[in-house]
Amino acid sequence: MPLVSGSTLLAAADKDGYAVGAFNVNNLESLTAIVSAAEGERSPVILQASQGAIKYAGLEYIAAMAQVAAARATVPVALNLDHGTSFTQAMQCIRAGFTAVMVDGSRLPYRENAALVSRVVEVAHAVGVSVEAELGRIGGTEDDVSVAEREEVFTDPEAAARFVAETGCDALAVAVGTAHGVYRGEPKLDFERLAAIDRLVAVPLVLHGASGVPDGAIREAVRLGVRKINIDTEIRLAFAASVRSTLAADGSVYDPREILGPARQSMEEVVREKMRLFGSAGRA
Ligand code: G3H
Ligand code: ZN
């Protein structure tokens, strides 16, 4: 089937109380690993491209690969821009065929963030593309986006409600204690804050920086209203560990398929586990 919009998937997740995984793609192997996991688990799935992925693989290649994968798939697939930086980039993605865009204006003052998101919402909604925004600042590093611990700002529930009402965004990424990249200690989520945000905010909530968050905390976050969960780092770690072990086992191997095949399998296993954890397995 063709790519579906992000809101279609999140509305179904909201109705039935589970979260859809949004997994970062960088190349053909990661993309096919994720879609194959979704098929295996009968799960809806969101593919997403970060700033680094766009630089590495190119917008058009990512969109074309995702369109082919979705057309061949028997489960619904959406394609999202992850941490979009500008109005221009959001428009380029929509034109290339993305069915969801995140506009990350969290580095901007509230007014400017809201103005940027509203502008993208107006155009995106006209063509059936959904928009995710971020309020507060999620810590850590993902590709070009880096937020030091001292710059982290947790999302204020009342400001979040105002922001969603003012902008008309379809989903909201919240800062409640997660961070991008590899955690040094165990992350501690602010569940009270998450519950308060969910009480006041009408649209589905998004959890970024979910790699390395303990399973129990993920389940609680889903119970409290998180409907989209982003995973990048754990896929990269699985990829790197597999490539290292293949080359360590046989230093003479030179066929990319012998190196990348097992890596694709390792990435698929990570994604399948997450789909079961998020409750999206068996929903498609
Ligand atoms: O936007 C992408 C995710 O927030 C990635 O988070 O580094 O914990 O996998 P992660
Ligand atoms: Zn993120």
Side-chain angles (χ1 to χ4, degrees):
M1 63 185 92
L3 286 163
V4 300
S5 82
S7 321
T8 306
L9 299 187
L10 298 193
D14 209 26
K15 189 172 142 279
D16 290 339
Y18 62 92
V20 182
F23 302 97
N24 284 78
V25 299
N26 292 291
N27 56 14
L28 180 68
E29 281 72 22
S30 49
L31 192 140
T32 52
I34 295 161
V35 176
S36 169
E39 290 274 4
E41 293 296 329
R42 302 306 309 158
S43 171
V45 70
I46 300 169
L47 302 169
Q48 56 183 14
S50 68
Q51 298 305 304
I54 290 170
K55 266 192 208 152
Y56 175 76
L59 201 58
E60 287 79 10
Y61 278 103
I62 292 173
M65 288 192 297
Q67 278 157 355
V68 172
R72 291 165 58 105
T74 58
V75 295
V77 181
L79 176 62
N80 181 46
L81 164 66
D82 190 27
H83 294 284
T85 49
S86 64
F87 178 80
T88 304
Q89 186 180 53
M91 296 307 111
Q92 288 165 341
C93 286
I94 293 171
R95 176 145 200 192
F98 282 54
T99 52
V101 290
M102 176 193 189
V103 211
D104 182 357
S106 63
R107 69 197 177 283
L108 303 169
Y110 178 97
R111 280 268 129 250
E112 289 171 42
N113 186 0
L116 171 64
V117 172
S118 307
R119 219 174 138 213
V120 174
V121 164
E122 193 183 339
V123 185
H125 283 184
V127 291
V129 170
S130 50
V131 180
E132 173 185 336
E134 177 176 326
L135 192 68
R137 292 208 80 185
I138 296 160
T141 302
E142 188 187 16
D143 292 337
D144 294 357
V145 186
S146 191
V147 178
E149 236 168 82
R150 62 179 188 291
E151 293 168 357
E152 251 182 82
V153 183
F154 280 16
T155 307
D156 175 70
E158 275 160 25
R162 207 163 55 238
F163 187 86
V164 168
E166 277 177 28
T167 61
C169 67
D170 304 286
L172 187 71
V174 292
V176 291
T178 56
H180 293 118
V182 178
Y183 288 99
R184 268 169 291 158
E186 189 176 298
K188 292 265 169 294
L189 272 64
D190 185 344
F191 291 118
E192 248 174 66
R193 182 180 297 272
L194 183 58
I197 298 170
D198 190 57
R199 265 196 302 278
L200 297 179
V201 170
V203 299
L205 304 181
V206 183
L207 193 68
H208 283 243
S211 291
V213 175
D215 289 2
I218 292 286
R219 280 192 204 96
E220 182 63 359
V222 174
R223 195 182 69 78
L224 293 173
V226 164
R227 297 291 171 248
K228 172 175 177 274
I229 302 184
N230 289 12
I231 298 284
D232 185 4
T233 300
E234 282 193 54
I235 299 174
R236 300 194 212 196
L237 289 171
F239 174 86
S242 170
V243 170
R244 263 187 222 109
S245 98
T246 301
L247 294 174
D250 180 0
S252 69
V253 69
Y254 67 92
D255 184 337
R257 293 161 296 194
E258 285 176 34
I259 302 165
L260 298 178
R264 175 162 62 187
Q265 192 56 40
S266 300
M267 291 188 282
E268 182 175 335
E269 277 155 27
V270 168
V271 174
R272 287 186 76 142
E273 245 174 61
K274 296 297 176 191
M275 287 169 166
R276 293 195 286 265
L277 174 63
F278 302 164
S280 68
R283 308 282 186 169

